């Protein structure tokens, strides 16, 4: 009879693991001694790279061009010519936020602009405002509309260039979207408003705007605050000989004083005897949308017109704000590449345009209210008395074939186009670009490779 199998000895010191606490299989994916040497981007580094604006390409050929100036831009003989932006003006335009990342400045050796008919009209308009008598300044309110890539932002840049060269004070809000997406600190306005409406300030955005104003307008260092402003009660005592540039720097240093100092600076700029002003904003649809990314104490989204900076600009655009005794231009631009759907804004601008004629000769009737859509009445309040206050809509059309040929010849001289620029080539690219749309013409000629 075989012996029974031996049993394993029992370990009296072994305790089986409890349910759910057993040790699973551990796989060490990293070999011992190897470390991850990849550097993580610093805080704000990716945003800085995304918004970096390159204005020169050292690999491009240098082209001899005439300098952009206000005298030549008033002459219609220069329509269709390429003019280089002077170096001192480039720094001021960069400070004021006139350049965009998507405008293709980094493809050429030096920033330059095409003089269009709208450029000549703007130069003549600025001269007429300068020649107006003191105290009866002319004020022009204008909204730029057009297809995507038609050159609305560049038209704003040309208006700012002409104004800066003539000694105007330029205040520009580069992107209204940056004020509405909820990425900047905000706080309720302490001082009560006239209509008991809750307003909210954005100290960081206002401080950034004050810095841009002081850097892009060097003549503010020669202008001083009025004796009445220096004697008025203020949270911080003001020196009698304080310059307007120094006043703007006070708002940058103290976040709690950004909005009071901004309003004081605007009051000083609108005093009689000061230079004319140019107030501009890009991305108007973001300032007219029903809600922003900010929340009120009752957990409801804040309307864009309840933000102090946008409320300030809309008051000048509608004509309900302070009058401009020295004259000036209030200019806004819409965006078709990055803009929310605002039906009220579309109807308001269409009624102001009163039906425009397309290049093919067709008249587009103005839009009417759709009973199945919801409209924001606060947008209609801005444009309610638009015609009485002189608000007009300017449609930026595509380039003519002559202007497109001049632009493509400049690209060829810069070494960016290797094809012979003849009538057939110009006609082909002009047709592919939808009738001379600048952005599509650049894409079809420079960026598209077949």
């Amino acid at each position: 009879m075989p012996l029974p199998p031996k049993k394993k000895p029992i370990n009296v010191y072994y305790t089986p693991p409890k349910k759910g606490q057993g040790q699973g299989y551990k796989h060490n994916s990293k070999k011992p001694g190897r470390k991850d040497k990849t550097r993580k981007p610093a805080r704000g580094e990716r945003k800085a790279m995304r918004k970096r604006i390159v204005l020169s390409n050292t690999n491009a050929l240098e082209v001899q061009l005439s300098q952009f100036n206000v005298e030549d831009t008033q002459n219609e003989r220069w329509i269709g010519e390429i003019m280089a932006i002077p170096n001192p003006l480039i720094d001021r335009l960069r400070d004021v936020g006139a350049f965009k990342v998507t405008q293709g400045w980094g493809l050429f050796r030096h920033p330059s602009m095409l003089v269009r008919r709208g450029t000549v009209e703007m130069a003549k308009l600025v001269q007429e405002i300068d020649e107006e008598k003191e105290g009866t300044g002319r004020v022009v309110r204008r909204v730029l509309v057009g297809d995507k890539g038609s050159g609305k932002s560049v038209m704003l840049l040309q208006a700012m260039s002409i104004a800066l060269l003539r000694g105007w004070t330029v205040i520009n809000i580069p992107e209204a979207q940056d004020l509405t997406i909820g990425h900047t600190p905000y706080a309720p306005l302490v001082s009560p408003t006239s209509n008991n409406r809750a307003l909210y300030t954005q100290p960081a955005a206002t401080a950034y705007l004050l810095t841009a104003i002081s850097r892009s307008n060097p003549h503010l260092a020669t202008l001083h605050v009025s004796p009445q402003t220096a004697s008025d009660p203020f949270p911080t005592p003001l020196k009698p000989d304080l310059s307007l540039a120094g006043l703007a720097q006070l708002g940058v240093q103290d976040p709690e004083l950004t909005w009071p100092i901004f309003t004081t600076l605007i009051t000083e700029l609108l005093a009689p005897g000061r230079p004319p002003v140019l107030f501009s904003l890009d991305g108007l649809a973001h300032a007219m949308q029903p809600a922003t990314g900010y929340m009120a104490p009752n957990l409801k989204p804040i309307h864009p017109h309840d933000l102090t900076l946008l409320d300030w600009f809309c008051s000048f655009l509608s004509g309900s704000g302070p009058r401009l005794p020295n004259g000036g231009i209030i200019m806004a631009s819409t965006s078709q590449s990055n803009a929310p759907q605002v039906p009220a804004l579309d109807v308001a601008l269409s009624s102001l345009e009163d039906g425009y004629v397309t290049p093919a000769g067709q008249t587009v009737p103005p839009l009417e209210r759709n009973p199945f859509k919801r409209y924001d009445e606060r947008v209609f309040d801005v444009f309610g008395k638009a015609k009485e206050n002189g608000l007009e809509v300017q449609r930026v059309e595509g380039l003519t074939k002559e202007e497109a040929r001049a632009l493509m010849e400049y690209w060829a001289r810069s070494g960016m186009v290797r094809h012979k620029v003849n009538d057939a080539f110009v006609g082909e690219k002009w047709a592919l670009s939808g009738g001379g749309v600048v952005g599509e013409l650049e894409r079809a000629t420079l960026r598209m490779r077949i």
Side-chain angles (χ1 to χ4, degrees):
M1 183 176 181
L3 296 175
K6 294 184 179 181
K7 296 183 178 179
K8 294 183 180 181
I10 300 175
N11 187 0
V12 296
Y13 301 101
Y14 173 74
T15 303
K18 296 181 180 180
K19 185 177 181 181
Q21 296 183 358
Q23 294 182 357
Y25 173 71
K26 295 183 178 180
H27 175 68
N28 188 9
S29 59
K30 294 183 179 180
K31 295 182 179 180
R34 296 186 62 180
K35 295 182 179 180
D36 188 9
K37 297 183 180 181
T38 58
R39 184 183 68 87
K40 294 182 179 180
R43 184 177 181 180
E45 183 178 354
R46 287 176 294 185
K47 181 179 180 180
M49 290 293 295
R50 186 173 68 253
K51 293 193 172 184
R52 185 181 63 169
I53 298 176
V54 180
L55 299 179
S56 179
N57 180 14
T58 56
N59 295 324
L61 300 178
E62 187 172 358
V63 181
Q64 298 295 330
L65 299 173
S66 301
Q67 295 289 319
F68 187 86
N69 57 83
V70 293
E71 290 78 12
D72 293 339
T73 51
Q74 297 177 15
N75 192 344
E76 295 185 359
R77 185 178 62 87
W78 288 91
I79 295 179
E81 298 292 335
I82 307 294
M83 303 186 75
I85 305 177
N87 289 326
L89 184 60
I90 292 176
D91 298 334
R92 299 172 66 182
L93 290 174
R94 183 191 287 271
D95 292 334
V96 83
F99 297 107
K100 303 292 181 181
V101 181
T102 58
Q103 289 174 346
W105 302 103
L107 297 176
F108 308 100
R109 190 64 173 264
H110 189 85
S112 56
M113 297 183 295
L114 173 66
V115 180
R116 305 175 64 176
R117 184 166 298 277
T119 311
V120 176
E121 295 176 355
M122 179 60 62
K124 293 181 179 179
L125 179 62
V126 171
Q127 184 183 12
E128 292 175 2
I129 295 176
D130 271 342
E131 294 175 354
E132 290 286 340
K133 295 182 180 179
E134 183 178 350
T136 59
R138 178 184 174 186
V139 181
V140 176
R141 296 176 174 86
R142 183 171 296 178
V143 178
L144 301 179
V145 298
D147 297 331
K148 176 183 175 181
S150 58
K152 300 180 294 296
S153 298
V154 176
M155 190 67 69
L156 270 182
L157 184 144
Q158 292 179 348
M160 285 185 276
S161 302
I162 296 171
L164 289 173
L165 290 175
R166 295 196 70 95
W168 285 29
T169 302
V170 176
I171 300 178
N172 177 46
I173 299 178
E175 285 290 345
Q177 181 185 10
D178 295 340
L179 302 178
T180 59
I181 55 179
H183 285 192
T184 58
Y186 70 107
L189 187 62
V190 178
S191 60
T193 57
S194 57
N195 53 0
N196 296 325
R197 181 163 57 95
L199 294 177
Y200 298 88
T201 61
Q202 297 169 289
T206 309
Y208 178 80
L209 185 58
L210 288 173
T211 303
I213 294 172
S214 61
R215 289 182 177 179
S216 58
N217 301 282
H219 63 274
L220 296 184
T222 61
L223 302 177
H224 301 276
V225 297
S226 60
Q228 181 181 358
T229 302
S231 60
D232 288 343
F234 205 74
T236 299
L238 302 179
K239 299 180 180 179
D241 57 344
L242 181 65
S243 64
L244 297 186
L247 179 65
Q249 290 300 320
L250 288 179
V252 177
Q253 297 170 4
D254 193 348
E256 296 182 357
L257 299 178
T258 51
W259 184 248
I261 287 183
F262 181 81
T263 55
T264 304
L265 178 63
I266 296 301
T267 303
E268 287 292 326
L269 292 176
L270 300 184
R274 305 291 193 185
V277 295
L278 170 63
F279 299 151
S280 59
L281 177 140
D282 203 351
L284 183 62
H286 291 280
M288 299 294 169
Q289 57 184 335
T292 64
Y294 300 98
M295 302 296 290
N298 57 0
L299 300 182
K300 292 184 178 180
I302 298 175
H303 196 275
H305 298 176
D306 292 334
L307 301 176
T308 51
L309 283 176
L310 295 180
D311 177 70
W312 162 81
F313 183 83
C314 290
S315 65
F316 281 99
L317 183 65
S318 63
S320 61
R323 60 183 299 270
L324 307 179
N326 308 307
I329 298 176
I330 315 297
M331 184 175 292
S333 174
T334 58
S335 175
Q336 298 296 330
S337 58
N338 178 25
Q341 293 293 332
V342 186
L345 179 63
D346 298 337
V347 172
L349 295 180
S350 179
S351 62
L352 286 176
E353 202 171 7
D354 198 14
Y356 69 95
V357 180
T358 62
Q362 299 177 354
T363 302
V364 179
L367 297 177
E368 297 181 357
R369 289 202 185 193
N370 189 341
F372 300 100
K373 287 186 178 181
R374 182 177 298 178
Y375 295 93
D376 189 2
E377 295 297 333
R378 299 186 67 173
V379 176
F380 292 114
D381 293 341
V382 175
F383 298 94
K385 298 182 179 180
K387 292 185 178 180
E388 299 177 5
N389 296 322
L391 180 61
E392 56 188 19
V393 174
Q394 178 182 350
R395 179 165 293 273
V396 182
E397 300 286 356
L399 302 177
T400 62
K401 287 190 176 181
E402 292 75 14
E403 294 173 343
R405 186 186 184 95
L407 195 61
M408 295 169 68
E409 288 178 351
Y410 167 70
W411 293 344
R413 285 185 292 169
S414 299
M416 300 302 299
V417 176
R418 298 184 180 181
H419 195 280
K420 184 178 180 180
V421 181
N422 49 23
D423 293 340
F425 183 72
V426 172
E428 174 191 352
K429 300 303 181 182
W430 186 86
L432 288 175
S433 62
V437 178
V438 184
E440 299 299 329
L441 183 66
E442 177 185 337
R443 180 181 301 177
T445 309
L446 300 181
R447 301 183 184 274
M448 185 171 64
R449 294 291 184 265
I450 300 177

